[in-house]
mmCIF file of all heavy atoms in Angstrom:
data_model
loop_
_atom_site.group_PDB
_atom_site.id
_atom_site.type_symbol
_atom_site.label_atom_id
_atom_site.label_comp_id
_atom_site.label_asym_id
_atom_site.label_seq_id
_atom_site.Cartn_x
_atom_site.Cartn_y
_atom_site.Cartn_z
ATOM 1 N N ASP A 127 7.072 -14.840 -12.592
ATOM 2 C CA ASP A 127 7.248 -13.747 -13.546
ATOM 3 C C ASP A 127 7.594 -14.309 -14.918
ATOM 4 O O ASP A 127 8.613 -14.980 -15.088
ATOM 5 C CB ASP A 127 8.363 -12.816 -13.054
ATOM 6 C CG ASP A 127 8.442 -11.535 -13.878
ATOM 7 O OD1 ASP A 127 8.373 -11.617 -15.117
ATOM 8 O OD2 ASP A 127 8.598 -10.456 -13.273
ATOM 9 N N ASP A 128 6.738 -14.042 -15.920
ATOM 10 C CA ASP A 128 6.975 -14.613 -17.241
ATOM 11 C C ASP A 128 8.223 -14.052 -17.901
ATOM 12 O O ASP A 128 8.836 -14.702 -18.733
ATOM 13 C CB ASP A 128 5.754 -14.411 -18.136
ATOM 14 C CG ASP A 128 5.355 -12.943 -18.285
ATOM 15 O OD1 ASP A 128 5.808 -12.119 -17.469
ATOM 16 O OD2 ASP A 128 4.600 -12.627 -19.213
ATOM 17 N N PHE A 129 8.621 -12.828 -17.549
ATOM 18 C CA PHE A 129 9.844 -12.251 -18.105
ATOM 19 C C PHE A 129 11.063 -13.021 -17.599
ATOM 20 O O PHE A 129 11.964 -13.345 -18.371
ATOM 21 C CB PHE A 129 9.950 -10.771 -17.708
ATOM 22 C CG PHE A 129 11.116 -10.065 -18.325
ATOM 23 C CD1 PHE A 129 11.037 -9.529 -19.604
ATOM 24 C CD2 PHE A 129 12.323 -9.914 -17.636
ATOM 25 C CE1 PHE A 129 12.120 -8.864 -20.182
ATOM 26 C CE2 PHE A 129 13.403 -9.259 -18.205
ATOM 27 C CZ PHE A 129 13.291 -8.742 -19.479
ATOM 28 N N VAL A 130 11.074 -13.335 -16.322
ATOM 29 C CA VAL A 130 12.184 -14.102 -15.737
ATOM 30 C C VAL A 130 12.199 -15.520 -16.317
ATOM 31 O O VAL A 130 13.266 -16.063 -16.630
ATOM 32 C CB VAL A 130 12.072 -14.151 -14.206
ATOM 33 C CG1 VAL A 130 13.176 -15.006 -13.607
ATOM 34 C CG2 VAL A 130 12.145 -12.734 -13.624
ATOM 35 N N ARG A 131 11.019 -16.098 -16.492
ATOM 36 C CA ARG A 131 10.930 -17.441 -17.065
ATOM 37 C C ARG A 131 11.507 -17.471 -18.480
ATOM 38 O O ARG A 131 12.237 -18.388 -18.844
ATOM 39 C CB ARG A 131 9.476 -17.935 -17.099
ATOM 40 C CG ARG A 131 8.944 -18.419 -15.789
ATOM 41 C CD ARG A 131 7.738 -19.353 -15.986
ATOM 42 N NE ARG A 131 6.712 -18.725 -16.811
ATOM 43 C CZ ARG A 131 5.730 -17.969 -16.335
ATOM 44 N NH1 ARG A 131 5.658 -17.717 -15.027
ATOM 45 N NH2 ARG A 131 4.827 -17.436 -17.144
ATOM 46 N N LYS A 132 11.167 -16.436 -19.264
ATOM 47 C CA LYS A 132 11.683 -16.385 -20.629
ATOM 48 C C LYS A 132 13.215 -16.292 -20.614
ATOM 49 O O LYS A 132 13.890 -16.990 -21.381
ATOM 50 C CB LYS A 132 11.102 -15.185 -21.365
ATOM 51 C CG LYS A 132 11.645 -15.021 -22.781
ATOM 52 C CD LYS A 132 11.125 -13.765 -23.466
ATOM 53 C CE LYS A 132 9.711 -13.945 -23.913
ATOM 54 N NZ LYS A 132 9.250 -12.794 -24.772
ATOM 55 N N GLY A 133 13.750 -15.448 -19.740
ATOM 56 C CA GLY A 133 15.206 -15.302 -19.667
ATOM 57 C C GLY A 133 15.883 -16.589 -19.241
ATOM 58 O O GLY A 133 16.909 -16.988 -19.811
ATOM 59 N N LEU A 134 15.305 -17.249 -18.262
ATOM 60 C CA LEU A 134 15.881 -18.492 -17.765
ATOM 61 C C LEU A 134 15.832 -19.574 -18.825
ATOM 62 O O LEU A 134 16.776 -20.377 -18.974
ATOM 63 C CB LEU A 134 15.125 -18.935 -16.505
ATOM 64 C CG LEU A 134 15.838 -19.886 -15.539
ATOM 65 C CD1 LEU A 134 17.201 -19.341 -15.121
ATOM 66 C CD2 LEU A 134 14.964 -20.135 -14.315
ATOM 67 N N GLN A 135 14.737 -19.603 -19.596
ATOM 68 C CA GLN A 135 14.610 -20.588 -20.672
ATOM 69 C C GLN A 135 15.672 -20.363 -21.743
ATOM 70 O O GLN A 135 16.275 -21.314 -22.260
ATOM 71 C CB GLN A 135 13.216 -20.494 -21.293
ATOM 72 C CG GLN A 135 12.947 -21.554 -22.362
ATOM 73 C CD GLN A 135 12.913 -22.956 -21.789
ATOM 74 O OE1 GLN A 135 12.063 -23.272 -20.965
ATOM 75 N NE2 GLN A 135 13.855 -23.799 -22.215
ATOM 76 N N LEU A 136 15.937 -19.101 -22.066
ATOM 77 C CA LEU A 136 16.970 -18.779 -23.054
ATOM 78 C C LEU A 136 18.342 -19.225 -22.568
ATOM 79 O O LEU A 136 19.163 -19.749 -23.349
ATOM 80 C CB LEU A 136 16.987 -17.271 -23.334
ATOM 81 C CG LEU A 136 15.800 -16.730 -24.133
ATOM 82 C CD1 LEU A 136 15.790 -15.206 -24.093
ATOM 83 C CD2 LEU A 136 15.857 -17.214 -25.582
ATOM 84 N N VAL A 137 18.602 -19.059 -21.283
ATOM 85 C CA VAL A 137 19.885 -19.483 -20.706
ATOM 86 C C VAL A 137 20.008 -21.002 -20.770
ATOM 87 O O VAL A 137 21.052 -21.535 -21.186
ATOM 88 C CB VAL A 137 20.022 -18.984 -19.259
ATOM 89 C CG1 VAL A 137 21.266 -19.597 -18.602
ATOM 90 C CG2 VAL A 137 20.118 -17.465 -19.217
ATOM 91 N N VAL A 138 18.956 -21.695 -20.375
ATOM 92 C CA VAL A 138 18.969 -23.164 -20.369
ATOM 93 C C VAL A 138 19.139 -23.698 -21.787
ATOM 94 O O VAL A 138 19.824 -24.712 -22.000
ATOM 95 C CB VAL A 138 17.673 -23.716 -19.724
ATOM 96 C CG1 VAL A 138 17.570 -25.228 -19.947
ATOM 97 C CG2 VAL A 138 17.627 -23.386 -18.241
ATOM 98 N N ASP A 139 18.560 -23.011 -22.762
ATOM 99 C CA ASP A 139 18.670 -23.459 -24.154
ATOM 100 C C ASP A 139 20.062 -23.228 -24.730
ATOM 101 O O ASP A 139 20.334 -23.634 -25.863
ATOM 102 C CB ASP A 139 17.634 -22.725 -25.026
ATOM 103 C CG ASP A 139 16.220 -23.164 -24.717
ATOM 104 O OD1 ASP A 139 16.054 -24.231 -24.082
ATOM 105 O OD2 ASP A 139 15.276 -22.437 -25.078
ATOM 106 N N GLY A 140 20.922 -22.572 -23.971
ATOM 107 C CA GLY A 140 22.272 -22.339 -24.443
ATOM 108 C C GLY A 140 22.392 -21.217 -25.460
ATOM 109 O O GLY A 140 23.320 -21.208 -26.265
ATOM 110 N N SER A 141 21.451 -20.271 -25.416
ATOM 111 C CA SER A 141 21.486 -19.152 -26.371
ATOM 112 C C SER A 141 22.712 -18.274 -26.137
ATOM 113 O O SER A 141 23.188 -18.140 -25.011
ATOM 114 C CB SER A 141 20.209 -18.301 -26.228
ATOM 115 O OG SER A 141 19.050 -19.085 -26.425
ATOM 116 N N GLU A 142 23.186 -17.679 -27.206
ATOM 117 C CA GLU A 142 24.317 -16.777 -27.100
ATOM 118 C C GLU A 142 23.909 -15.542 -26.287
ATOM 119 O O GLU A 142 22.764 -15.094 -26.363
ATOM 120 C CB GLU A 142 24.791 -16.333 -28.483
ATOM 121 C CG GLU A 142 25.400 -17.453 -29.310
ATOM 122 C CD GLU A 142 26.706 -17.964 -28.699
ATOM 123 O OE1 GLU A 142 27.437 -17.146 -28.085
ATOM 124 O OE2 GLU A 142 26.980 -19.164 -28.820
ATOM 125 N N PRO A 143 24.856 -14.973 -25.524
ATOM 126 C CA PRO A 143 24.547 -13.793 -24.709
ATOM 127 C C PRO A 143 23.900 -12.655 -25.499
ATOM 128 O O PRO A 143 22.977 -12.002 -25.024
ATOM 129 C CB PRO A 143 25.909 -13.376 -24.153
ATOM 130 C CG PRO A 143 26.675 -14.661 -24.075
ATOM 131 C CD PRO A 143 26.230 -15.456 -25.277
ATOM 132 N N GLU A 144 24.378 -12.432 -26.718
ATOM 133 C CA GLU A 144 23.824 -11.349 -27.524
ATOM 134 C C GLU A 144 22.380 -11.615 -27.905
ATOM 135 O O GLU A 144 21.542 -10.709 -27.959
ATOM 136 C CB GLU A 144 24.676 -11.155 -28.787
ATOM 137 C CG GLU A 144 24.375 -9.866 -29.533
ATOM 138 C CD GLU A 144 24.655 -8.627 -28.697
ATOM 139 O OE1 GLU A 144 25.530 -8.673 -27.806
ATOM 140 O OE2 GLU A 144 23.964 -7.613 -28.922
ATOM 141 N N ILE A 145 22.070 -12.891 -28.158
ATOM 142 C CA ILE A 145 20.688 -13.260 -28.479
ATOM 143 C C ILE A 145 19.806 -13.080 -27.253
ATOM 144 O O ILE A 145 18.678 -12.573 -27.353
ATOM 145 C CB ILE A 145 20.631 -14.725 -28.980
ATOM 146 C CG1 ILE A 145 21.349 -14.848 -30.328
ATOM 147 C CG2 ILE A 145 19.183 -15.197 -29.106
ATOM 148 C CD1 ILE A 145 21.402 -16.257 -30.875
ATOM 149 N N ILE A 146 20.296 -13.484 -26.089
ATOM 150 C CA ILE A 146 19.544 -13.301 -24.849
ATOM 151 C C ILE A 146 19.222 -11.819 -24.637
ATOM 152 O O ILE A 146 18.088 -11.451 -24.328
ATOM 153 C CB ILE A 146 20.328 -13.845 -23.642
ATOM 154 C CG1 ILE A 146 20.498 -15.367 -23.773
ATOM 155 C CG2 ILE A 146 19.619 -13.503 -22.331
ATOM 156 C CD1 ILE A 146 21.373 -15.982 -22.692
ATOM 157 N N ARG A 147 20.232 -10.989 -24.833
ATOM 158 C CA ARG A 147 20.024 -9.552 -24.648
ATOM 159 C C ARG A 147 18.989 -9.017 -25.643
ATOM 160 O O ARG A 147 18.074 -8.272 -25.265
ATOM 161 C CB ARG A 147 21.342 -8.797 -24.803
ATOM 162 C CG ARG A 147 21.208 -7.282 -24.608
ATOM 163 C CD ARG A 147 22.534 -6.568 -24.780
ATOM 164 N NE ARG A 147 23.512 -6.991 -23.802
ATOM 165 C CZ ARG A 147 23.569 -6.510 -22.560
ATOM 166 N NH1 ARG A 147 22.667 -5.612 -22.151
ATOM 167 N NH2 ARG A 147 24.498 -6.933 -21.728
ATOM 168 N N ASN A 148 19.122 -9.375 -26.905
ATOM 169 C CA ASN A 148 18.214 -8.856 -27.929
ATOM 170 C C ASN A 148 16.776 -9.266 -27.661
ATOM 171 O O ASN A 148 15.856 -8.451 -27.745
ATOM 172 C CB ASN A 148 18.647 -9.333 -29.318
ATOM 173 C CG ASN A 148 19.946 -8.681 -29.763
ATOM 174 O OD1 ASN A 148 20.321 -7.631 -29.269
ATOM 175 N ND2 ASN A 148 20.633 -9.316 -30.705
ATOM 176 N N VAL A 149 16.576 -10.554 -27.342
ATOM 177 C CA VAL A 149 15.227 -11.060 -27.112
ATOM 178 C C VAL A 149 14.581 -10.389 -25.902
ATOM 179 O O VAL A 149 13.434 -9.918 -25.950
ATOM 180 C CB VAL A 149 15.243 -12.591 -26.927
ATOM 181 C CG1 VAL A 149 13.877 -13.097 -26.477
ATOM 182 C CG2 VAL A 149 15.649 -13.289 -28.215
ATOM 183 N N LEU A 150 15.330 -10.323 -24.801
ATOM 184 C CA LEU A 150 14.765 -9.752 -23.582
ATOM 185 C C LEU A 150 14.593 -8.240 -23.664
ATOM 186 O O LEU A 150 13.659 -7.687 -23.086
ATOM 187 C CB LEU A 150 15.640 -10.122 -22.378
ATOM 188 C CG LEU A 150 15.690 -11.606 -22.024
ATOM 189 C CD1 LEU A 150 16.551 -11.830 -20.777
ATOM 190 C CD2 LEU A 150 14.288 -12.160 -21.790
ATOM 191 N N GLU A 151 15.472 -7.570 -24.371
ATOM 192 C CA GLU A 151 15.325 -6.115 -24.510
ATOM 193 C C GLU A 151 14.111 -5.762 -25.354
ATOM 194 O O GLU A 151 13.430 -4.768 -25.069
ATOM 195 C CB GLU A 151 16.589 -5.503 -25.106
ATOM 196 C CG GLU A 151 17.729 -5.373 -24.097
ATOM 197 C CD GLU A 151 18.936 -4.631 -24.652
ATOM 198 O OE1 GLU A 151 18.987 -4.421 -25.878
ATOM 199 O OE2 GLU A 151 19.816 -4.275 -23.844
ATOM 200 N N VAL A 152 13.825 -6.553 -26.386
ATOM 201 C CA VAL A 152 12.608 -6.329 -27.172
ATOM 202 C C VAL A 152 11.382 -6.487 -26.280
ATOM 203 O O VAL A 152 10.450 -5.662 -26.320
ATOM 204 C CB VAL A 152 12.541 -7.297 -28.362
ATOM 205 C CG1 VAL A 152 11.151 -7.265 -29.004
ATOM 206 C CG2 VAL A 152 13.595 -6.955 -29.405
ATOM 207 N N ASP A 153 11.396 -7.540 -25.468
ATOM 208 C CA ASP A 153 10.280 -7.774 -24.538
ATOM 209 C C ASP A 153 10.156 -6.607 -23.558
ATOM 210 O O ASP A 153 9.062 -6.089 -23.317
ATOM 211 C CB ASP A 153 10.520 -9.085 -23.779
ATOM 212 C CG ASP A 153 9.285 -9.555 -23.015
ATOM 213 O OD1 ASP A 153 8.649 -8.720 -22.357
ATOM 214 O OD2 ASP A 153 8.967 -10.753 -23.081
ATOM 215 N N LEU A 154 11.279 -6.180 -22.991
ATOM 216 C CA LEU A 154 11.285 -5.088 -22.015
ATOM 217 C C LEU A 154 10.718 -3.806 -22.623
ATOM 218 O O LEU A 154 9.843 -3.148 -22.042
ATOM 219 C CB LEU A 154 12.707 -4.854 -21.520
ATOM 220 C CG LEU A 154 12.934 -3.797 -20.405
ATOM 221 C CD1 LEU A 154 14.211 -4.120 -19.643
ATOM 222 C CD2 LEU A 154 13.050 -2.391 -20.979
ATOM 223 N N HIS A 155 11.221 -3.420 -23.800
ATOM 224 C CA HIS A 155 10.799 -2.166 -24.420
ATOM 225 C C HIS A 155 9.331 -2.211 -24.830
ATOM 226 O O HIS A 155 8.616 -1.205 -24.720
ATOM 227 C CB HIS A 155 11.672 -1.844 -25.626
ATOM 228 C CG HIS A 155 13.097 -1.547 -25.283
ATOM 229 N ND1 HIS A 155 13.447 -0.727 -24.224
ATOM 230 C CD2 HIS A 155 14.271 -1.939 -25.839
ATOM 231 C CE1 HIS A 155 14.753 -0.634 -24.140
ATOM 232 N NE2 HIS A 155 15.277 -1.355 -25.105
ATOM 233 N N THR A 156 8.866 -3.388 -25.257
ATOM 234 C CA THR A 156 7.472 -3.527 -25.650
ATOM 235 C C THR A 156 6.553 -3.338 -24.433
ATOM 236 O O THR A 156 5.554 -2.618 -24.494
ATOM 237 C CB THR A 156 7.204 -4.906 -26.275
ATOM 238 O OG1 THR A 156 8.048 -5.056 -27.430
ATOM 239 C CG2 THR A 156 5.761 -5.033 -26.697
ATOM 240 N N ARG A 157 6.915 -3.974 -23.313
ATOM 241 C CA ARG A 157 6.126 -3.828 -22.092
ATOM 242 C C ARG A 157 6.150 -2.389 -21.608
ATOM 243 O O ARG A 157 5.123 -1.841 -21.199
ATOM 244 C CB ARG A 157 6.672 -4.753 -20.998
ATOM 245 C CG ARG A 157 6.480 -6.232 -21.271
ATOM 246 C CD ARG A 157 7.304 -7.047 -20.272
ATOM 247 N NE ARG A 157 7.299 -8.466 -20.556
ATOM 248 C CZ ARG A 157 6.658 -9.369 -19.821
ATOM 249 N NH1 ARG A 157 5.974 -8.997 -18.764
ATOM 250 N NH2 ARG A 157 6.701 -10.647 -20.138
ATOM 251 N N GLU A 158 7.339 -1.794 -21.616
ATOM 252 C CA GLU A 158 7.480 -0.428 -21.115
ATOM 253 C C GLU A 158 6.669 0.551 -21.951
ATOM 254 O O GLU A 158 5.989 1.439 -21.416
ATOM 255 C CB GLU A 158 8.949 -0.027 -21.117
ATOM 256 C CG GLU A 158 9.212 1.350 -20.530
ATOM 257 C CD GLU A 158 10.686 1.689 -20.496
ATOM 258 O OE1 GLU A 158 11.464 1.077 -21.260
ATOM 259 O OE2 GLU A 158 11.070 2.573 -19.709
ATOM 260 N N GLN A 159 6.722 0.386 -23.271
ATOM 261 C CA GLN A 159 5.964 1.288 -24.144
ATOM 262 C C GLN A 159 4.461 1.114 -23.955
ATOM 263 O O GLN A 159 3.714 2.110 -23.937
ATOM 264 C CB GLN A 159 6.346 1.038 -25.607
ATOM 265 C CG GLN A 159 7.748 1.510 -25.962
ATOM 266 C CD GLN A 159 8.158 1.148 -27.362
ATOM 267 O OE1 GLN A 159 7.400 0.498 -28.102
ATOM 268 N NE2 GLN A 159 9.350 1.546 -27.771
ATOM 269 N N ALA A 160 4.000 -0.131 -23.797
ATOM 270 C CA ALA A 160 2.571 -0.378 -23.598
ATOM 271 C C ALA A 160 2.094 0.252 -22.293
ATOM 272 O O ALA A 160 1.032 0.888 -22.253
ATOM 273 C CB ALA A 160 2.296 -1.875 -23.605
ATOM 274 N N ASP A 161 2.868 0.073 -21.229
ATOM 275 C CA ASP A 161 2.475 0.637 -19.937
ATOM 276 C C ASP A 161 2.568 2.163 -19.929
ATOM 277 O O ASP A 161 1.743 2.844 -19.307
ATOM 278 C CB ASP A 161 3.346 0.060 -18.817
ATOM 279 C CG ASP A 161 3.034 -1.411 -18.534
ATOM 280 O OD1 ASP A 161 1.940 -1.860 -18.926
ATOM 281 O OD2 ASP A 161 3.868 -2.090 -17.911
ATOM 282 N N THR A 162 3.560 2.703 -20.614
ATOM 283 C CA THR A 162 3.688 4.160 -20.683
ATOM 284 C C THR A 162 2.530 4.772 -21.458
ATOM 285 O O THR A 162 1.990 5.830 -21.069
ATOM 286 C CB THR A 162 5.031 4.559 -21.346
ATOM 287 O OG1 THR A 162 6.114 4.012 -20.577
ATOM 288 C CG2 THR A 162 5.168 6.063 -21.404
ATOM 289 N N ARG A 163 2.122 4.125 -22.545
ATOM 290 C CA ARG A 163 0.942 4.605 -23.291
ATOM 291 C C ARG A 163 -0.293 4.585 -22.400
ATOM 292 O O ARG A 163 -1.126 5.491 -22.460
ATOM 293 C CB ARG A 163 0.710 3.754 -24.541
ATOM 294 C CG ARG A 163 1.646 4.060 -25.698
ATOM 295 C CD ARG A 163 1.108 3.485 -27.002
ATOM 296 N NE ARG A 163 0.969 2.048 -26.945
ATOM 297 C CZ ARG A 163 1.914 1.184 -27.305
ATOM 298 N NH1 ARG A 163 3.077 1.631 -27.750
ATOM 299 N NH2 ARG A 163 1.713 -0.116 -27.236
ATOM 300 N N ALA A 164 -0.390 3.550 -21.568
ATOM 301 C CA ALA A 164 -1.533 3.465 -20.656
ATOM 302 C C ALA A 164 -1.502 4.584 -19.635
ATOM 303 O O ALA A 164 -2.529 5.203 -19.319
ATOM 304 C CB ALA A 164 -1.536 2.103 -19.958
ATOM 305 N N ALA A 165 -0.321 4.894 -19.105
ATOM 306 C CA ALA A 165 -0.201 5.985 -18.124
ATOM 307 C C ALA A 165 -0.542 7.331 -18.766
ATOM 308 O O ALA A 165 -1.109 8.216 -18.112
ATOM 309 C CB ALA A 165 1.212 6.019 -17.556
ATOM 310 N N LYS A 166 -0.231 7.472 -20.043
ATOM 311 C CA LYS A 166 -0.509 8.731 -20.729
ATOM 312 C C LYS A 166 -2.003 8.961 -20.946
ATOM 313 O O LYS A 166 -2.413 10.078 -21.291
ATOM 314 C CB LYS A 166 0.230 8.775 -22.066
ATOM 315 C CG LYS A 166 1.724 9.010 -21.916
ATOM 316 C CD LYS A 166 2.421 9.122 -23.256
ATOM 317 C CE LYS A 166 3.909 9.429 -23.065
ATOM 318 N NZ LYS A 166 4.622 9.542 -24.367
ATOM 319 N N VAL A 167 -2.815 7.935 -20.744
ATOM 320 C CA VAL A 167 -4.267 8.127 -20.796
ATOM 321 C C VAL A 167 -4.687 9.128 -19.731
ATOM 322 O O VAL A 167 -5.468 10.056 -19.987
ATOM 323 C CB VAL A 167 -4.989 6.777 -20.603
ATOM 324 C CG1 VAL A 167 -6.491 6.997 -20.362
ATOM 325 C CG2 VAL A 167 -4.791 5.886 -21.819
ATOM 326 N N PHE A 168 -4.141 8.965 -18.524
ATOM 327 C CA PHE A 168 -4.488 9.879 -17.436
ATOM 328 C C PHE A 168 -3.839 11.248 -17.632
ATOM 329 O O PHE A 168 -4.399 12.263 -17.231
ATOM 330 C CB PHE A 168 -4.071 9.250 -16.099
ATOM 331 C CG PHE A 168 -4.734 7.939 -15.836
ATOM 332 C CD1 PHE A 168 -4.058 6.738 -16.057
ATOM 333 C CD2 PHE A 168 -6.040 7.879 -15.399
ATOM 334 C CE1 PHE A 168 -4.666 5.514 -15.838
ATOM 335 C CE2 PHE A 168 -6.673 6.655 -15.196
ATOM 336 C CZ PHE A 168 -5.981 5.471 -15.414
ATOM 337 N N GLU A 169 -2.686 11.238 -18.272
ATOM 338 C CA GLU A 169 -2.044 12.509 -18.617
ATOM 339 C C GLU A 169 -2.913 13.283 -19.608
ATOM 340 O O GLU A 169 -3.062 14.508 -19.491
ATOM 341 C CB GLU A 169 -0.669 12.236 -19.209
ATOM 342 C CG GLU A 169 0.229 13.440 -19.309
ATOM 343 C CD GLU A 169 1.628 13.041 -19.768
ATOM 344 O OE1 GLU A 169 2.468 12.725 -18.901
ATOM 345 O OE2 GLU A 169 1.877 13.054 -20.985
#
Side-chain angles (χ1 to χ4, degrees):
D127 189 316
D128 57 343
F129 185 84
V130 177
R131 282 202 306 271
K132 177 184 284 189
L134 202 54
Q135 184 66 63
L136 289 168
V137 172
V138 170
D139 291 343
S141 303
E142 293 294 327
E144 193 61 29
I145 293 177
I146 295 175
R147 181 181 297 278
N148 290 339
V149 171
L150 294 182
E151 282 186 348
V152 168
D153 193 314
L154 184 156
H155 294 316
T156 301
R157 292 168 187 251
E158 184 177 21
Q159 289 175 359
D161 289 341
T162 301
R163 283 197 300 269
K166 286 183 177 180
V167 168
F168 301 100
E169 194 174 271

